[in-house]
Amino acid sequence: MKTATKNTTATKSKSTTATKSKSTTATAAKTTPKGTVKAKPSAADGLRELFVDSLKDIYWAEKALTKALPKMAKNATSENLIKAINDHLAVTQEQVLRLEKVFKSVGEKAAAKKCDAMEGLIKEGESIMEETEVGAVRDAGIIAASQKIEHYEIATYGTLAAFAATLGEDDAVLLLEKTLAEEKEADTLLTEAAYNTINFDATEEDQK
Protein backbone atom coordinates (compact mmCIF):
# COMPACT_ATOMS: atom_id res chain seq x y z
CA MET A 1 0.00 0.00 0.00
CA LYS A 2 2.79 2.41 0.82
CA THR A 3 4.43 1.73 -2.56
CA ALA A 4 1.17 2.40 -4.35
CA THR A 5 0.77 5.67 -2.46
CA LYS A 6 4.26 6.76 -3.45
CA ASN A 7 3.63 5.93 -7.12
CA THR A 8 0.34 7.86 -7.05
CA THR A 9 2.03 10.86 -5.47
CA ALA A 10 4.84 10.73 -8.05
CA THR A 11 2.31 10.54 -10.87
CA LYS A 12 0.41 13.55 -9.51
CA SER A 13 3.69 15.46 -9.16
CA LYS A 14 4.64 14.75 -12.78
CA SER A 15 1.16 15.68 -13.92
CA THR A 16 1.32 18.98 -12.00
CA THR A 17 4.77 19.77 -13.44
CA ALA A 18 3.58 19.02 -16.96
CA THR A 19 0.55 21.26 -16.46
CA LYS A 20 2.73 24.11 -15.17
CA SER A 21 5.09 23.66 -18.10
CA LYS A 22 2.23 23.85 -20.60
CA SER A 23 0.85 26.89 -18.82
CA THR A 24 4.24 28.63 -18.92
CA THR A 25 4.66 27.81 -22.61
CA ALA A 26 1.17 29.10 -23.37
CA THR A 27 1.87 32.34 -21.50
CA ALA A 28 5.18 32.79 -23.35
CA ALA A 29 3.42 32.21 -26.65
CA LYS A 30 0.93 34.96 -25.81
CA THR A 31 3.53 37.50 -24.70
CA THR A 32 6.11 36.72 -27.40
CA PRO A 33 4.43 36.32 -30.81
CA LYS A 34 6.20 34.15 -33.34
CA GLY A 35 8.86 36.11 -35.22
CA THR A 36 9.26 38.77 -32.54
CA VAL A 37 12.91 39.76 -32.01
CA LYS A 38 13.96 39.28 -28.41
CA ALA A 39 15.24 42.53 -26.89
CA LYS A 40 18.69 42.72 -25.34
CA PRO A 41 18.95 43.35 -21.59
CA SER A 42 20.27 46.84 -22.42
CA ALA A 43 17.45 47.61 -24.88
CA ALA A 44 15.90 51.08 -24.79
CA ASP A 45 12.45 51.18 -23.23
CA GLY A 46 11.75 54.88 -23.80
CA LEU A 47 12.07 57.44 -26.61
CA ARG A 48 14.81 59.36 -24.78
CA GLU A 49 16.94 56.24 -24.49
CA LEU A 50 16.39 55.47 -28.18
CA PHE A 51 17.29 59.07 -29.06
CA VAL A 52 20.56 58.97 -27.09
CA ASP A 53 21.41 55.53 -28.48
CA SER A 54 20.87 56.84 -32.03
CA LEU A 55 23.06 59.86 -31.26
CA LYS A 56 25.86 57.48 -30.26
CA ASP A 57 25.44 55.62 -33.56
CA ILE A 58 25.72 58.70 -35.77
CA TYR A 59 28.58 60.06 -33.64
CA TRP A 60 30.54 56.89 -34.45
CA ALA A 61 29.45 57.12 -38.08
CA GLU A 62 30.64 60.70 -38.55
CA LYS A 63 34.00 59.92 -36.94
CA ALA A 64 34.42 56.91 -39.23
CA LEU A 65 33.53 59.07 -42.22
CA THR A 66 36.32 61.56 -41.43
CA LYS A 67 38.73 58.66 -42.03
CA ALA A 68 36.99 57.33 -45.14
CA LEU A 69 36.59 60.61 -47.06
CA PRO A 70 40.33 61.30 -47.53
CA LYS A 71 40.70 57.87 -49.16
CA MET A 72 37.83 58.65 -51.54
CA ALA A 73 39.41 61.99 -52.46
CA LYS A 74 42.74 60.30 -53.11
CA ASN A 75 41.11 57.83 -55.50
CA ALA A 76 39.05 60.42 -57.39
CA THR A 77 40.37 62.11 -60.54
CA SER A 78 37.78 64.83 -61.23
CA GLU A 79 38.89 68.14 -59.72
CA ASN A 80 35.28 69.04 -58.94
CA LEU A 81 34.72 65.73 -57.15
CA ILE A 82 37.97 65.98 -55.19
CA LYS A 83 37.01 69.49 -54.06
CA ALA A 84 33.49 68.38 -53.13
CA ILE A 85 34.84 65.50 -51.02
CA ASN A 86 37.47 67.64 -49.27
CA ASP A 87 34.92 70.38 -48.59
CA HIS A 88 32.56 67.82 -47.09
CA LEU A 89 35.38 66.43 -44.97
CA ALA A 90 35.76 69.84 -43.33
CA VAL A 91 31.98 70.01 -42.86
CA THR A 92 31.92 66.50 -41.36
CA GLN A 93 34.59 67.43 -38.84
CA GLU A 94 32.40 70.35 -37.78
CA GLN A 95 29.42 68.00 -37.56
CA VAL A 96 31.32 65.79 -35.10
CA LEU A 97 31.84 68.80 -32.85
CA ARG A 98 28.20 69.79 -33.29
CA LEU A 99 27.06 66.35 -32.17
CA GLU A 100 29.10 66.83 -29.01
CA LYS A 101 27.07 69.99 -28.42
CA VAL A 102 23.87 67.98 -28.94
CA PHE A 103 24.97 65.48 -26.30
CA LYS A 104 25.73 68.32 -23.91
CA SER A 105 22.41 70.05 -24.59
CA VAL A 106 20.47 66.94 -23.55
CA GLY A 107 22.65 66.31 -20.49
CA GLU A 108 24.54 63.32 -21.86
CA LYS A 109 28.25 62.58 -22.21
CA ALA A 110 29.39 62.25 -25.83
CA ALA A 111 30.03 58.59 -26.57
CA ALA A 112 30.30 56.57 -29.78
CA LYS A 113 28.57 53.27 -30.45
CA LYS A 114 29.56 51.26 -33.50
CA CYS A 115 27.19 51.98 -36.38
CA ASP A 116 26.79 48.83 -38.46
CA ALA A 117 25.02 50.72 -41.24
CA MET A 118 27.84 53.23 -41.77
CA GLU A 119 30.47 50.52 -41.49
CA GLY A 120 28.69 48.63 -44.27
CA LEU A 121 28.36 51.71 -46.49
CA ILE A 122 32.04 52.56 -46.10
CA LYS A 123 33.05 48.98 -46.93
CA GLU A 124 30.81 49.09 -49.99
CA GLY A 125 32.58 52.26 -51.11
CA GLU A 126 35.95 50.58 -50.72
CA SER A 127 34.69 47.60 -52.71
CA ILE A 128 33.51 49.87 -55.53
CA MET A 129 36.96 51.46 -55.74
CA GLU A 130 38.59 48.03 -55.91
CA GLU A 131 36.26 46.98 -58.72
CA THR A 132 36.73 50.05 -60.95
CA GLU A 133 39.67 51.42 -62.89
CA VAL A 134 41.03 54.85 -61.96
CA GLY A 135 39.27 57.54 -63.96
CA ALA A 136 35.72 58.58 -64.75
CA VAL A 137 34.24 55.16 -64.00
CA ARG A 138 35.75 55.08 -60.50
CA ASP A 139 34.68 58.69 -59.98
CA ALA A 140 31.09 57.70 -60.85
CA GLY A 141 31.35 54.80 -58.38
CA ILE A 142 32.67 57.07 -55.64
CA ILE A 143 29.73 59.43 -56.18
CA ALA A 144 27.28 56.53 -55.99
CA ALA A 145 28.82 55.31 -52.73
CA SER A 146 28.93 58.84 -51.32
CA GLN A 147 25.28 59.49 -52.10
CA LYS A 148 24.23 56.29 -50.33
CA ILE A 149 26.07 57.60 -47.29
CA GLU A 150 24.41 61.01 -47.61
CA HIS A 151 20.95 59.46 -47.90
CA TYR A 152 21.57 57.43 -44.76
CA GLU A 153 22.69 60.55 -42.91
CA ILE A 154 19.72 62.57 -44.17
CA ALA A 155 17.32 59.90 -42.89
CA THR A 156 19.17 59.68 -39.56
CA TYR A 157 19.35 63.41 -38.85
CA GLY A 158 15.74 63.90 -39.92
CA THR A 159 14.64 61.21 -37.45
CA LEU A 160 16.85 62.56 -34.66
CA ALA A 161 15.48 66.07 -35.13
CA ALA A 162 11.94 64.69 -34.92
CA PHE A 163 12.79 62.74 -31.75
CA ALA A 164 14.36 65.84 -30.20
CA ALA A 165 11.28 67.92 -31.02
CA THR A 166 9.01 65.31 -29.44
CA LEU A 167 11.19 65.28 -26.32
CA GLY A 168 11.13 69.08 -26.09
CA GLU A 169 14.89 69.40 -26.69
CA ASP A 170 14.74 72.65 -28.67
CA ASP A 171 18.50 73.33 -28.66
CA ALA A 172 19.17 69.85 -30.01
CA VAL A 173 16.56 70.33 -32.73
CA LEU A 174 18.33 73.46 -34.04
CA LEU A 175 21.73 71.75 -34.06
CA LEU A 176 20.46 68.60 -35.75
CA GLU A 177 18.49 70.53 -38.38
CA LYS A 178 21.60 72.52 -39.28
CA THR A 179 23.48 69.28 -39.96
CA LEU A 180 20.48 67.90 -41.86
CA ALA A 181 20.58 70.93 -44.18
CA GLU A 182 24.31 70.39 -44.77
CA GLU A 183 23.77 66.75 -45.69
CA LYS A 184 21.05 67.68 -48.17
CA GLU A 185 23.34 70.28 -49.74
CA ALA A 186 26.16 67.73 -50.05
CA ASP A 187 23.79 65.29 -51.77
CA THR A 188 22.78 67.99 -54.26
CA LEU A 189 26.41 68.84 -55.04
CA LEU A 190 27.21 65.17 -55.66
CA THR A 191 24.21 64.84 -57.98
CA GLU A 192 25.32 67.88 -59.96
CA ALA A 193 28.85 66.48 -60.24
CA ALA A 194 27.51 63.15 -61.49
CA TYR A 195 25.11 64.50 -64.11
CA ASN A 196 27.13 67.47 -65.32
CA THR A 197 30.41 65.73 -66.15
CA ILE A 198 31.48 62.50 -64.48
CA ASN A 199 28.70 60.13 -65.51
CA PHE A 200 28.92 61.34 -69.09
CA ASP A 201 32.69 60.86 -69.10
CA ALA A 202 32.19 57.34 -67.78
CA THR A 203 29.76 56.60 -70.63
CA GLU A 204 32.26 57.82 -73.21
CA GLU A 205 34.92 55.50 -71.78
CA ASP A 206 32.51 52.56 -72.18
CA GLN A 207 32.03 53.42 -75.85
CA LYS A 208 35.76 53.47 -76.67
Side-chain angles (χ1 to χ4, degrees):
M1 290 296 291
K2 289 183 179 180
T3 303
T5 301
K6 286 181 178 179
N7 288 338
T8 301
T9 302
T11 301
K12 287 182 178 180
S13 178
K14 288 181 180 178
S15 177
T16 301
T17 301
T19 301
K20 286 182 178 180
S21 179
K22 287 181 180 179
S23 177
T24 301
T25 302
T27 301
K30 288 180 181 179
T31 56
T32 310
K34 187 177 180 181
T36 299
V37 176
K38 185 177 180 181
K40 295 180 179 179
S42 60
D45 60 1
L47 183 60
R48 180 168 292 277
E49 285 184 63
L50 178 59
F51 173 65
V52 173
D53 194 56
S54 299
L55 276 179
K56 292 177 180 179
D57 261 24
I58 196 64
Y59 187 49
W60 186 97
E62 295 290 19
K63 283 189 167 186
L65 198 53
T66 61
K67 297 176 183 177
L69 287 172
K71 187 173 182 179
M72 288 184 178
K74 190 173 182 180
N75 277 274
T77 54
S78 163
E79 290 184 9
N80 287 339
L81 178 56
I82 293 171
K83 183 179 185 304
I85 293 172
N86 285 329
D87 286 349
H88 194 58
L89 172 60
V91 171
T92 302
Q93 290 167 337
E94 285 296 320
Q95 290 172 348
V96 170
L97 297 176
R98 192 177 299 136
L99 278 171
E100 292 172 357
K101 292 179 181 179
V102 174
F103 275 107
K104 186 176 181 180
S105 75
V106 298
E108 295 286 339
K109 182 179 179 181
K113 177 183 175 183
K114 185 179 178 181
C115 178
D116 293 332
M118 182 59 78
E119 182 183 45
L121 289 167
I122 289 173
K123 284 183 177 179
E124 182 178 355
E126 292 174 349
S127 178
I128 288 174
M129 288 187 284
E130 290 172 355
E131 294 170 1
T132 52
E133 292 292 343
V134 175
V137 174
R138 181 173 290 186
D139 285 353
I142 289 172
I143 287 177
S146 298
Q147 285 194 295
K148 287 182 181 181
I149 290 172
E150 292 305 325
H151 293 172
Y152 171 73
E153 290 183 308
I154 288 169
T156 299
Y157 282 109
T159 299
L160 285 171
F163 283 174
T166 301
L167 293 167
E169 297 289 356
D170 296 338
D171 290 342
V173 171
L174 293 175
L175 292 166
L176 291 165
E177 286 185 341
K178 183 173 183 179
T179 298
L180 176 61
E182 290 172 349
E183 300 298 0
K184 288 180 178 180
E185 182 181 2
D187 181 52
T188 299
L189 290 173
L190 287 167
T191 298
E192 290 174 353
Y195 283 101
N196 289 344
T197 55
I198 295 170
N199 275 354
F200 293 111
D201 290 343
T203 301
E204 289 175 6
E205 286 192 11
D206 288 340
Q207 293 173 346
K208 289 179 181 178

